[in-house]
Amino acid sequence: MPTQAKRKLETFNLEVDKIIMATTHQAVEETTGHSQAPAIDSKYRLIILAAQRSKQLQRGARPRIEIDPTKHKVTRIALEEVVQGTVQFHTKVDGDGEASEDGQ
């Protein structure tokens, strides 16, 4: 593939990612009525946190939000919890190796 075509494809992919992120934030706000916690800086972090929380719920953890677990799947409950900021998580800052707490 010629270099110019590669650049166009990379530019296109970046634009698509921007649109997806904007759509993701908008969809989350529309479906939940809440904006994402400021600590969730990417769609990937949102999905990873929701997946980890979903595993906890599947293993018997109780929901941290007011929602009927018989009417909603654990994945939906987990996503709601992450978006509402009830899930605590830690991230490592590049370079210092110390963990810093994000979320509420």
Side-chain angles (χ1 to χ4, degrees):
M1 182 180 282
T3 308
Q4 185 178 11
K6 281 185 179 181
R7 283 191 210 129
K8 284 184 179 181
L9 181 60
E10 289 172 0
T11 303
F12 175 76
N13 287 337
L14 289 173
E15 291 299 319
V16 169
D17 284 345
K18 288 179 186 177
I19 292 169
I20 290 171
M21 277 301 292
T23 305
T24 302
H25 288 288
Q26 184 180 12
V28 167
E29 289 177 14
E30 287 174 358
T31 59
T32 63
H34 299 285
S35 62
Q36 288 183 333
I40 300 175
D41 55 349
S42 73
K43 61 186 173 186
Y44 304 106
R45 187 179 313 277
L46 173 68
I47 297 304
I48 289 169
L49 290 170
Q52 289 174 344
R53 179 63 182 148
S54 178
K55 286 180 185 179
Q56 293 174 349
L57 291 168
Q58 287 174 342
R59 292 180 181 148
R62 295 182 185 212
R64 296 178 179 171
I65 58 173
E66 293 296 322
I67 194 166
D68 186 3
T70 60
K71 293 183 180 180
H72 300 280
K73 294 182 179 180
V74 292
T75 52
R76 179 65 181 159
I77 296 170
L79 183 60
E80 284 284 333
E81 289 179 349
V82 173
V83 168
Q84 291 183 23
T86 61
V87 176
Q88 299 286 322
F89 64 95
H90 302 278
T91 58
K92 289 188 176 182
V93 180
D94 290 339
D96 36 80
E98 293 181 19
S100 64
E101 186 173 330
D102 289 334
Q104 292 189 16

